[in-house]
Amino acid sequence: MKRIMIMLLIACSAINTISADSTATPQKKAKSVIQSLEGIIAFYAKEGSQTLSVTKNPETGLIESSERIAPFTCEKENLWTIPIGFSEDEPLSYQYMHLLPGNAELFNLKVVTNNGKKSKDVRIRTNTKQEMWFMCCKNPDNPQLRDAYAIVWEETKDKNVAGTVFIITSLRPDIFEKNMSSAGLLSENKNTFTIDGRVGYDLTDSLYVVYMADTAEELNNVRDSDFVAYMPVVNKRFSFSVQLDKPKVGRIRTVMPDGSLCQLWTNLDFVPGETYRITTHNGYYDEDRDYEQRVGRYSGKSLLNDLQRRGIDDQTVTVVDEVPEEFRVVETTPSKPWRQTLPQHQLAQLKLKAELVKMDMENIKLKYQAIGEIMSGFRNHDRIMLLFDQILEKNKELDKKYQEVIKLAKKMCIPAEEMPGLYKEILQFYTEQNKALNDAFKDSITHGKATRKLQEYVTKQTEKYINEMEKSLQ
């Protein structure tokens, strides 16, 4: 009972925000995120481990930075308000990131104080096992300040999660670092390079990948599968950050709806301590002119070669008569797993399609979690029906993407004995949904047309994939 009451209290602010009238005046602060994080701190923060520090300008007495850092432990299901809160407040942000476990990107937050003369890096995501939600917003009271909100967690041996909440206000680095750079006063430890991206009105891109190399020659030779990170698009925005000890070169490439990689790409100079602001369009992009003139292709400091600087490689696909060694099909042998026999460009395409499937599955799971909490709390029937409608549409998208994975695997000559494994994952996912729907239907609050349509669809899909698996066995 105590655990249920705690979850209801945490849920209170998030559900109220979601159910609010969409015509209301836009909020100035990230209220959903703040309330979600405060709830985690209030009920699950480790006693005596929370830190709070405030820095004021010695001359004006105004706050320049405040840091609240709180380690916590809890059951993973108690974090359900986090994705809802961050998604709700995303329009207020100018930097937004969600990294899943397995992503190779680590993340530090730059905190600037003392009128821009001092700064430090706060370590946020410290290992690849952590899931991270992060966003930065302009402070509504002082345009020179930035409010940053983050939470990271990873699973523990007892199947719970351990993590840390960060609520940090500081001077905006994009304002003060530019001033200090022109004055030659920046310290040498400013080593974070960031891509701050926007998707143009003429595109519907949902995922990008990032490549990185030390030299232009190495960048020219990267294989399709050599990307270092994914950049999911959330509300037309995407981002990437990396710690660098020296300038490097990089590439942004679009993942097409079918999971293949676009034949066009964008090469950039990756410079420590800098942020590249880019807006992508259909066949071109809006460059960060200030960046390019200071440290990029127009500065005389660029590491990109002449062809790359002129963008020729962005427009040209090389055709060769002889298939290069790395693209030749390798015969499958009993001692070598099928995936390892694939050429690099095929392996990359398969990995990207699988990532798109994974993203849809995670989205559906979050919606089921939200329904469960509404049933235990405010019991809003209309909100539950809306979520069931959204789950149905997302399942239809998932089916199309999963069929593309199966079609691609067959095209790549997957051995017959490995085909049942492809169907096992999707069947297990539908089984979990059937169980969730059966449990939910025991409560009259879930009864409605949307629920029945979803249950009929999931049942139909289960039968469909069982039949396909049986055919593959024959």
Side-chain angles (χ1 to χ4, degrees):
M1 177 63 70
K2 180 180 178 182
R3 176 172 163 270
I4 294 175
M5 289 302 298
I6 289 174
M7 293 178 66
L8 290 178
L9 287 169
I10 294 176
C12 180
S13 58
I15 297 297
N16 279 335
T17 302
I18 293 167
S19 303
D21 184 356
S22 60
T23 62
T25 303
Q27 61 192 48
K28 292 184 178 181
K29 275 186 171 290
K31 293 181 180 179
S32 295
V33 169
I34 293 172
Q35 292 167 346
S36 297
L37 295 180
E38 290 285 0
I40 299 301
I41 292 173
F43 295 106
Y44 305 115
K46 295 180 180 179
E47 187 174 353
S49 62
Q50 185 177 165
T51 62
L52 176 64
S53 63
V54 177
T55 301
K56 296 183 178 181
N57 186 297
E59 297 180 359
T60 65
L62 297 176
I63 292 178
E64 286 192 347
S65 71
S66 66
E67 299 178 21
R68 190 177 182 188
I69 302 175
F72 69 90
T73 56
C74 67
E75 295 181 9
K76 187 176 181 180
E77 63 186 44
N78 295 337
L79 301 176
W80 72 272
T81 62
I82 298 302
I84 295 176
F86 273 82
S87 298
E88 184 76 11
D89 286 338
E90 189 280 335
L92 296 174
S93 70
Y94 63 84
Q95 187 177 5
Y96 184 95
M97 295 180 70
H98 176 211
L99 300 180
L100 291 170
N103 188 300
E105 184 177 351
L106 304 182
F107 189 78
N108 289 355
L109 179 69
K110 194 171 299 182
V111 178
V112 180
T113 58
N114 194 20
N115 201 29
K117 296 178 182 179
K118 292 183 179 180
S119 70
K120 67 176 182 179
D121 288 335
V122 176
R123 300 179 67 193
I124 304 295
R125 189 174 191 251
T126 58
N127 69 70
T128 59
K129 296 179 181 179
Q130 294 174 326
E131 180 167 352
M132 181 186 83
W133 289 84
F134 170 85
M135 65 184 292
C136 281
C137 310
K138 294 179 181 178
N139 184 283
D141 301 318
N142 185 345
Q144 292 187 319
L145 298 180
R146 171 200 65 187
D147 296 330
Y149 308 97
I151 182 171
V152 297
W153 68 80
E154 62 182 295
E155 291 190 3
T156 59
K157 293 181 180 179
D158 58 3
K159 301 302 181 181
N160 289 333
V161 294
T164 308
V165 171
F166 302 84
I167 302 177
I168 299 175
T169 295
S170 66
L171 296 172
R172 286 174 55 188
D174 58 324
I175 294 177
F176 283 89
E177 287 198 352
K178 185 179 292 186
N179 295 340
M180 300 310 292
S181 177
S182 62
L185 296 175
L186 276 178
S187 62
E188 296 180 357
N189 66 348
K190 303 299 184 294
N191 55 357
T192 302
F193 169 75
T194 299
I195 294 174
D196 180 12
R198 302 288 188 277
V199 176
Y201 65 90
D202 51 347
L203 285 179
T204 58
D205 293 345
S206 61
L207 184 66
Y208 295 93
V209 290
V210 182
Y211 299 80
M212 190 165 61
D214 289 330
T215 66
E217 289 70 27
E218 290 182 16
L219 187 63
N220 278 339
N221 293 320
V222 296
R223 298 174 296 183
D224 286 353
S225 61
D226 287 342
F227 51 85
V228 298
Y230 295 104
M231 290 193 296
V233 176
V234 180
N235 292 333
K236 291 288 189 176
R237 298 184 180 186
F238 59 93
S239 62
F240 166 75
S241 293
V242 65
Q243 300 294 306
L244 301 176
D245 56 5
K246 63 179 181 179
K248 296 193 176 188
V249 289
R251 173 174 295 166
I252 301 173
R253 200 166 177 183
T254 307
V255 180
M256 306 302 288
D258 65 356
S260 64
L261 288 167
C262 182
Q263 293 299 320
L264 304 179
W265 53 75
T266 301
N267 290 332
L268 301 173
D269 287 282
F270 285 14
V271 181
E274 295 287 346
T275 296
Y276 196 100
R277 294 174 174 82
I278 184 172
T279 300
T280 57
H281 292 284
N282 188 9
Y284 70 100
Y285 67 95
D286 294 335
E287 67 179 12
D288 189 331
R289 180 67 60 152
D290 176 67
Y291 181 101
E292 299 288 12
Q293 290 178 340
R294 288 187 297 104
V295 295
R297 65 187 67 198
Y298 310 130
S299 68
K301 306 173 185 177
S302 176
L303 296 180
L304 298 171
N305 61 37
D306 185 58
L307 291 181
Q308 290 172 326
R309 282 196 297 272
R310 288 189 282 135
I312 293 179
D313 67 328
D314 291 8
Q315 306 297 328
T316 304
V317 178
T318 303
V319 179
V320 294
D321 295 327
E322 183 178 354
V323 179
E325 182 68 28
E326 64 268 24
F327 291 99
R328 294 176 186 169
V329 176
V330 180
E331 293 295 330
T332 305
T333 64
S335 60
K336 196 170 187 179
W338 168 69
R339 288 174 181 266
Q340 294 182 17
T341 69
L342 296 175
Q344 288 296 322
H345 71 293
Q346 290 185 350
L347 181 60
Q349 190 176 7
L350 192 63
K351 285 170 61 178
L352 291 171
K353 284 184 179 293
E355 181 67 19
L356 293 172
V357 166
K358 182 180 178 182
M359 291 169 63
D360 276 358
M361 286 183 170
E362 290 298 324
N363 185 291
I364 290 171
K365 288 179 182 179
L366 288 174
K367 290 185 183 341
Y368 275 110
Q369 289 176 17
I371 289 172
E373 297 303 335
I374 294 173
M375 289 171 61
S376 301
F378 296 91
R379 303 181 62 78
N380 185 322
H381 178 268
D382 292 340
R383 177 63 181 163
I384 290 174
M385 291 301 105
L386 176 61
L387 284 168
F388 275 134
D389 279 333
Q390 293 174 352
I391 291 173
L392 176 60
E393 293 306 312
K394 185 57 69 173
N395 265 297
K396 291 178 180 179
E397 294 177 19
L398 171 64
D399 179 56
K400 292 179 182 178
K401 292 174 184 176
Y402 212 89
Q403 285 295 319
E404 289 174 1
V405 170
I406 293 172
K407 182 179 179 181
L408 183 60
K410 290 180 178 178
K411 184 179 179 181
M412 295 177 179
C413 301
I414 180 174
E417 61 270 19
E418 293 196 29
M419 278 299 296
L422 280 179
Y423 294 108
K424 181 179 179 181
E425 181 180 8
I426 190 67
L427 283 171
Q428 182 178 350
F429 187 63
Y430 284 130
T431 299
E432 292 173 357
Q433 290 193 68
N434 262 316
K435 183 179 182 303
L437 287 166
N438 287 334
D439 290 343
F441 211 75
K442 296 175 183 177
D443 191 322
S444 61
I445 192 70
T446 67
H447 294 181
K449 183 178 179 181
T451 317
R452 292 193 298 272
K453 287 175 63 177
L454 175 59
Q455 192 158 36
E456 289 172 1
Y457 180 83
V458 171
T459 301
K460 181 179 177 182
Q461 289 298 103
T462 303
E463 294 173 352
K464 167 186 167 181
Y465 279 100
I466 288 176
N467 291 334
E468 287 192 20
M469 184 171 68
E470 290 177 348
K471 288 180 181 179
S472 72
L473 291 170
Q474 296 171 0

